[in-house]
Amino acid sequence: MKLPAIKGFNEEAFNKYLKNTGWVIFGKGLSLIVNVLITRYLGPVSFGDLSFGLSLVAILAAVGALGLDTFIIREIIQEPAKRDEILGTSLWLRIITNALLIPVAVGIYLISHHLSSKPGEPLTLLVGLLAFASFFKSFNVIDAYFQSQVQSKYVVQVQNICLITISIIKVAIIVLSLPLIYIIFAYVLDGLILAIGLVMVYQKRGFSIFDWSFDKQRAKSLLRKSSPLILSAVMVSIYMKIDVVMLKSIGSKAIGIYSSAQNLSEAWYFIPIAIVTSVFPALLNARKTDLDRYQKRLKNLYDLLVFISLPVALFISFFADDIIHIIYQGKYDGAGPMLSIHIWSGIFVFLGTASSQYLVAEGFTKISFYRTAAGAIINILLNLWLIPRYGGVGASVATLIACVISTFYLLFIPKTREQGIMMLKSLFLVTAFQKIFKR
């Protein structure tokens, strides 16, 4: 299927986009390979401990970000002379919040550990160190600055250096047969190196973080504007990570087996983001000039994403057991049924990613939040019911159902129902057959 042309397209822009996409694919590919090696090396129990810690911290990290990125960019563009005040205030807000979240993460873990029927070995140090690693994300305010100047290439360079360095360290840990705690320290080092790299590239551009300042009124203004986004980000994190946290109730091994399948199932979720990002300008342009063309492009986008995700879901469903056995060398064989179920969530994630851009284009941000919240709540309720009975298979089913409901939440809202129907037609290949028979 031919993607709609983007207005203002030129060869230089296309080559730049290809280069950026290439780096994204390289990064995702390298991360996947290293993660597979770590998963094999640790085995289900230790890998389950690691996955639990990462998921718990990821949910709290959504709070630590404070939803500020978008507003940092906007404020700097609107008031470039106040750059140092905006960045300094944002950094201190994040540092204070993320510092407070370290004991919060440990506290939540200790409470859940105490209440668990299968507590296992204490993971207090693991959770605390991973929360400390997340603390360094406070310095991502520098990333927001470079985005405001359309100079993200400097941040990408730092990220690539960090990725390659930490990947080498993790492989060395595996080769030397070092225990799990060394992998945890690698995550801390990852956060530290990235933070230092961001500061260095900022300083190299002729600026200094020592010129930054904190302003109380600016802090209140930023928090007032970003507070709705904090809740939204937390809902997204809960939606994506709560199943792993809730599986802790039946043991680390169950988490490890489930996470081995989940990581493979979600490894390609960057694809719809890349596609949707590339065609979004064309959608916005069509919405301004030709509503019929706008709707047609949305149909084409939904069709394309189904054509990509459906064959993959079918293939992996049939060969899930073999894929798990080959990739993980027989250490996670119970993950096959989970992968064969979880992979179908990808279809709805793809459609949800595309329809999210429609909601942005139409200004339906509240609907976007409500459908994410609905998915998170459904996921939690289904996990409470299914995990005690079916373990990781139940968590996979809960994720799939939550994705379906979240994606097609648009059917229940009158002003977005047409988009929901459009996605349904793409899902069941109705629009595809219509195009075939028209020919």
Side-chain angles (χ1 to χ4, degrees), residues 143-355:
D143 182 7
Y145 165 73
F146 282 113
Q147 287 185 51
S148 72
Q149 305 302 301
V150 196
Q151 295 176 345
S152 294
K153 63 179 181 180
Y154 299 112
V155 176
V156 172
Q157 290 169 1
V158 173
Q159 290 172 337
N160 289 333
I161 292 170
C162 186
L163 172 65
I164 294 170
T165 303
I166 297 302
S167 295
I168 292 171
I169 291 172
K170 288 179 179 178
V171 171
I173 291 170
I174 295 171
V175 171
L176 295 173
S177 299
L178 298 176
L180 172 61
I181 192 65
Y182 284 85
I183 295 176
I184 304 302
F185 280 122
Y187 279 98
V188 176
L189 186 60
D190 185 13
L192 177 60
I193 291 175
L194 183 57
I196 292 173
L198 288 172
V199 172
M200 288 178 64
V201 76
Y202 183 78
Q203 302 281 122
K204 192 175 180 180
R205 297 298 295 167
F207 309 117
S208 175
I209 65 169
F210 298 107
D211 294 331
W212 292 1
S213 60
F214 180 86
D215 183 80
K216 188 175 180 180
Q217 293 304 316
R218 176 76 64 177
K220 289 180 179 179
S221 174
L222 285 171
L223 289 176
R224 185 174 61 253
K225 293 173 183 176
S226 67
S227 55
L229 294 184
I230 299 174
L231 184 58
S232 180
V234 170
M235 284 297 177
V236 171
S237 296
I238 290 174
Y239 183 24
M240 299 300 294
K241 300 295 182 181
I242 196 64
D243 44 3
V244 172
V245 174
M246 294 179 74
L247 272 168
K248 186 62 175 160
S249 63
I250 59 174
S252 294
K253 184 176 181 180
I255 296 176
I257 293 174
Y258 173 77
S259 295
S260 69
Q262 181 191 46
N263 289 348
L264 291 180
S265 178
E266 296 179 354
W268 64 320
Y269 282 5
F270 72 94
I271 292 177
I273 296 173
I275 293 173
V276 169
T277 301
S278 68
V279 303
F280 189 51
L283 288 175
L284 290 178
N285 180 57
R287 186 182 180 278
K288 293 177 182 177
T289 59
D290 188 338
L291 289 179
D292 288 336
R293 186 173 53 162
Y294 171 59
Q295 294 297 327
K296 185 178 180 180
R297 286 182 173 179
L298 283 168
K299 286 181 184 178
N300 288 341
L301 180 58
Y302 295 145
D303 285 347
L304 174 64
L305 294 175
V306 170
F307 289 162
I308 293 172
S309 57
L310 184 57
V312 173
L314 286 168
F315 176 82
I316 291 182
S317 290
F318 283 113
F319 298 102
D321 287 331
D322 296 323
I323 291 169
I324 290 290
H325 183 77
I326 292 169
I327 290 178
Y328 296 124
Q329 298 180 331
K331 295 181 179 179
Y332 295 82
D333 283 351
M338 302 173 200
L339 178 59
S340 65
I341 297 169
H342 201 289
I343 192 64
W344 287 92
S345 302
I347 298 175
F348 304 100
V349 170
F350 276 42
L351 289 172
T353 302
S355 57

